[in-house]
Amino acid sequence: MKSFAIYNNKHGGIKKQNFHHKVFTACISLNLVFFCGNLFTSCDLDETPYDFYNTDIYYENTDRLNQGVLGVYEVFSELENYGQYWLVYDTDSDISHIQGAGNPGGHPARDIGHYYNIYPNNLWLQSTWSLYYTGIDRANLILEKQDQVVSDTSDFKYKNQLIAETKCLRAMCYFDLITLFGDVPLKLTYSKAQDDFQQGRVDKELIYDVIIKDLEEAYPDMPWAGESGYVSGRLSKGAALGLLSRVYLFRGGYSLRQNGTLERPDNYLDYYNKVVQYTDTIIDSQKHGLLNSYELVFRNMCNGILNPYENMYEVQFYNPTGENKHSSMIGTYNGPPIAAASPFGRANSFIKTHIFFYQTYDIPDLRKDVAVAKYQIQHPDGATVDTYSYYNDKNSYNWSPGKWRRDWQTFPIKHNNNTDCNYLLLRYADILLMRAEVENEIHGGPTQKALDCVNQIKRRAWGKPYQTADLTIDYTMASFSGKDSFFTFIKAERARELCFEGLRRFDLIRWNALKKAIDDTTAAFASYYTTYRFTAGDYFTTGKHELYPIPLNEITQTRGMITQNPKYSN
């Protein structure tokens, strides 16, 4: 059995909590009619339900309410979401690419990652879409039935906390949907047989309003990590505030509109001021911060140690037998290649990086050899030990993300591809970088507050105490010539600090910089590598690939009420 703990430091004691197992057990035993596999279109609502419970009266106490909330958490813990597919949705960019050049047809990851053939009937996109709407429907049921929950004074606070988690989870579903697909259908009631499922798309600005309302209503009723009532592995007040900051940051950025252009709102600074408000709430609380070691952040994850002090929220994964349900491919899909016979377990290493990203780190920067793994592990037939071999610079297109490498993981080897490693959704370092970015934009240049934020990150990266000023390495006002200079730095620093954590491609989109990043990377590959090219550069089309296509089944089953994204054909 896998063990989980809050990291034991001055910010909180150890609390064992196998949250992965609780989610897994709850979701295989609780056969409620929580979902239609494809919410709007593909569920036959006339068929006989397979559940034992009547959803109209199920939520009679907080124990059952908690089971329902676990069912919403569960939709994030699948290969079709954060366990595998989201790893691909974050490529190809200036820091990563899907392994394999040339014509990528025939493999959905290469099709999507290389922008080669992102077709509307792609099963990956359909599965992800359906999972999110499953989560939304489960959340809608809970919110619709919350008044049925009988709670006495002793657990009234607990009930409110569960409702708050539900709102936060629904917001997460909708935020991911509009990030991937743009305008999508909006449904805020639980699905019933008599409902009209032929709903059209809703302007994502209206969906942003719903997301923000859910998160702003949620966080006051959620405990800080480590406080009374906090459950290890679940969302906290800090996580909700951090997600709210991210939502406002993205709302203030560029996005692809239905007219085929990338635009940002005229009032984007209003949203950036909200980022200031919520990131400052987190920073001033002193409930979160950085660990002293960058490498330890990821070593902890590879050892099943939960540390919400820096890792403000991790999507949880666990399967007792290693099969696909509730497993991840973190460390196998996005780590260095490892032979199947190795005692570490196999890693097929599908996501790669390259020398051009590695060279953005300064020489003293300790993050570079955590973030990038230059080796593979082989285990020749008949051998008793592994053989490590390193790719040279000219073959550095084979270098891999290194944060969750399987040879660091201590989980039992239950499957060639699958692991129990969590997905890192939100980290305190991102709070600091968001704060610095909007500070620069609001004030027309870096301020001392912005410098304080980035200096904390730099000090740790260089092995220094991160909260202690260091005149030998700290950035000063003289380090930057102005707003544009600092923004260029922020774009590079977010890559160095947050690489492979599911944000890079979407950061580039909100900066209206994805096309330039792909063009520059294509040129760099062409000038340096003799046998390998950056395939995404052959196929990427701006004004199209900043969004994925709406799954074809949604369009056909709604008889065209749901329309397709720009430049895609059905």
Side-chain angles (χ1 to χ4, degrees):
M1 182 68 65
K2 184 179 173 186
S3 173
F4 304 91
I6 298 178
Y7 191 73
N8 188 17
N9 60 20
K10 66 178 181 179
H11 304 285
I14 293 176
K15 180 181 179 183
K16 298 285 184 182
Q17 183 65 265
N18 196 335
F19 177 64
H20 300 60
H21 182 66
K22 289 189 174 185
V23 171
F24 183 89
T25 303
C27 293
I28 62 174
S29 63
L30 185 61
N31 292 318
L32 292 173
V33 182
F34 272 153
F35 62 92
C36 303
N38 180 359
L39 176 62
F40 291 109
T41 61
S42 58
C43 180
D44 182 357
L45 291 170
D46 293 326
E47 65 186 28
T48 302
Y50 58 81
D51 68 302
F52 306 118
Y53 303 104
N54 184 336
T55 55
D56 288 335
I57 61 173
Y58 179 78
Y59 290 114
E60 60 184 14
N61 56 51
T62 51
D63 286 341
R64 287 191 170 183
L65 180 61
N66 180 55
Q67 293 293 311
V69 176
L70 288 175
V72 189
Y73 275 103
E74 182 258 353
V75 302
F76 294 94
S77 302
E78 299 286 4
L79 292 173
E80 294 85 359
N81 197 330
Y82 286 109
Q84 179 189 13
Y85 290 10
W86 201 275
L87 307 181
V88 174
Y89 298 154
D90 190 38
T91 56
D92 290 8
S93 70
D94 55 343
I95 69 171
S96 65
H97 60 107
I98 297 294
Q99 180 270 332
N103 188 324
H107 194 291
R110 289 196 184 98
D111 284 344
I112 292 172
H114 293 334
Y115 309 100
Y116 168 69
N117 188 16
I118 309 179
Y119 40 91
N121 60 345
N122 184 289
L123 292 179
W124 281 35
L125 299 174
Q126 179 68 67
S127 296
T128 299
W129 173 287
S130 297
L131 266 178
Y132 281 126
Y133 277 112
T134 294
I136 289 165
D137 209 40
R138 293 178 181 181
N140 287 343
L141 175 62
I142 292 169
L143 298 175
E144 196 170 301
K145 303 298 182 183
Q146 61 180 295
D147 292 339
Q148 295 180 4
V149 178
V150 177
S151 59
D152 56 27
T153 303
S154 63
D155 66 351
F156 182 73
K157 182 178 179 182
Y158 179 47
K159 172 190 171 181
N160 288 343
Q161 179 180 333
L162 291 172
I163 296 302
E165 289 181 45
T166 303
K167 291 179 178 179
C168 190
L169 290 164
R170 181 171 71 174
M172 290 164 59
C173 288
Y174 271 122
F175 180 59
D176 284 357
L177 278 167
I178 64 175
T179 300
L180 294 173
F181 300 104
D183 299 350
V184 297
L186 175 65
K187 195 169 191 296
L188 301 176
T189 58
Y190 176 64
S191 298
K192 305 173 184 66
Q194 65 269 26
D195 287 353
D196 178 10
F197 292 102
Q198 293 187 6
Q199 298 187 19
R201 303 169 73 178
V202 173
D203 189 314
K204 71 177 181 180
E205 293 303 320
L206 298 177
I207 300 176
Y208 266 125
D209 289 340
V210 171
I211 294 168
I212 288 168
K213 181 175 183 291
D214 274 351
L215 290 170
E216 289 184 336
E217 289 179 354
Y219 79 81
D221 289 323
M222 302 172 76
W224 292 99
E227 285 189 344
S228 175
Y230 171 69
V231 179
S232 175
R234 293 175 74 152
L235 291 160
S236 67
K237 186 189 298 288
L241 288 165
L243 290 169
L244 191 50
S245 304
R246 181 178 289 171
V247 167
Y248 272 117
L249 183 74
F250 272 70
R251 191 174 191 180
Y254 288 88
S255 62
L256 180 58
R257 304 293 174 158
Q258 291 305 299
N259 62 9
T261 63
L262 281 108
E263 303 171 3
R264 78 186 314 172
D266 292 337
N267 64 333
Y268 75 95
L269 289 179
D270 293 341
Y271 301 136
Y272 280 11
N273 276 300
K274 285 291 189 178
V275 178
V276 170
Q277 174 186 338
Y278 290 115
T279 53
D280 277 356
T281 300
I282 297 167
I283 293 168
D284 294 345
S285 75
Q286 299 184 12
K287 299 291 186 179
H288 296 280
L290 302 178
L291 298 187
N292 290 327
S293 164
Y294 186 76
E295 181 172 321
L296 184 60
V297 173
F298 306 100
R299 289 275 191 179
N300 280 346
M301 293 187 70
C302 291
N303 285 275
I305 299 173
L306 290 175
N307 188 320
Y309 184 61
E310 175 158 358
N311 290 8
M312 299 169 70
Y313 185 64
E314 297 177 19
V315 176
Q316 310 287 294
F317 288 92
Y318 174 75
N319 185 300
T321 62
E323 298 307 314
N324 287 350
K325 193 71 174 172
H326 305 138
S327 289
S328 80
M329 290 189 182
I330 297 171
T332 63
Y333 215 69
N334 60 344
I338 303 177
S342 168
F344 297 121
R346 187 187 76 173
N348 62 4
S349 188
F350 220 66
I351 294 174
K352 299 295 187 182
T353 185
H354 48 72
I355 193 171
F356 314 111
F357 171 56
Y358 186 80
Q359 289 175 337
T360 66
Y361 291 96
D362 290 325
I363 291 175
D365 196 325
L366 300 176
R367 296 174 297 183
K368 63 182 184 297
D369 291 314
V370 175
V372 176
K374 300 180 178 181
Y375 61 89
Q376 63 175 323
I377 299 176
Q378 299 169 314
H379 195 99
D381 291 343
T384 58
V385 296
D386 288 333
T387 299
Y388 285 73
S389 61
Y390 288 78
Y391 298 105
N392 61 30
D393 290 358
K394 284 295 185 180
N395 290 297
S396 58
Y397 51 82
N398 285 311
W399 293 354
S400 307
K403 290 180 172 179
W404 305 277
R405 56 193 81 180
R406 197 168 200 182
D407 45 314
W408 282 3
Q409 293 182 14
T410 57
F411 308 122
I413 307 303
K414 297 176 287 189
H415 193 278
N416 269 343
N417 296 321
N418 298 340
T419 76
D420 290 333
C421 195
N422 291 345
Y423 182 93
L424 182 48
L425 188 71
L426 179 68
R427 190 154 63 83
Y428 183 74
D430 192 13
I431 303 300
L432 295 174
L433 289 169
M434 285 193 282
R435 185 66 178 85
E437 180 181 340
V438 298
E439 186 79 358
N440 179 62
E441 190 71 25
I442 290 168
H443 296 283
T447 63
Q448 190 57 50
K449 178 70 174 183
L451 294 177
D452 289 343
C453 289
V454 297
N455 278 329
Q456 289 184 55
I457 290 172
K458 182 177 183 181
R459 291 170 200 146
R460 181 179 65 175
W462 290 42
K464 306 284 187 176
Y466 79 91
Q467 291 180 314
T468 302
D470 191 321
L471 297 178
T472 64
I473 66 169
D474 280 0
Y475 297 111
T476 66
M477 292 296 183
S479 303
F480 307 98
S481 60
K483 176 184 173 183
D484 291 345
S485 172
F486 189 78
F487 183 49
T488 297
F489 161 78
I490 283 290
K491 288 189 288 186
E493 185 68 355
R494 282 186 67 84
R496 288 186 289 261
E497 177 68 24
L498 304 172
C499 54
F500 320 122
E501 295 178 29
L503 292 168
R504 185 58 178 178
R505 199 177 75 89
F506 304 106
D507 275 345
L508 291 167
I509 291 169
R510 70 178 178 84
W511 294 324
N512 194 14
L514 181 56
K515 176 175 170 47
K516 184 177 188 307
I518 288 176
D519 288 347
D520 290 348
T521 306
T522 303
F525 269 55
S527 66
Y528 188 75
Y529 299 127
T530 58
T531 60
Y532 198 93
R533 74 175 191 269
F534 188 64
T535 308
D538 297 334
Y539 301 109
F540 177 80
T541 301
T542 191
K544 175 182 181 180
H545 288 133
E546 288 85 1
L547 291 176
Y548 292 130
I550 301 296
L552 181 60
N553 196 48
E554 307 302 317
I555 296 172
T556 57
Q557 294 296 325
T558 60
R559 298 176 183 174
M561 286 291 295
I562 298 178
T563 57
Q564 189 51 272
N565 276 327
K567 299 183 181 179
Y568 288 102
S569 59
N570 293 332

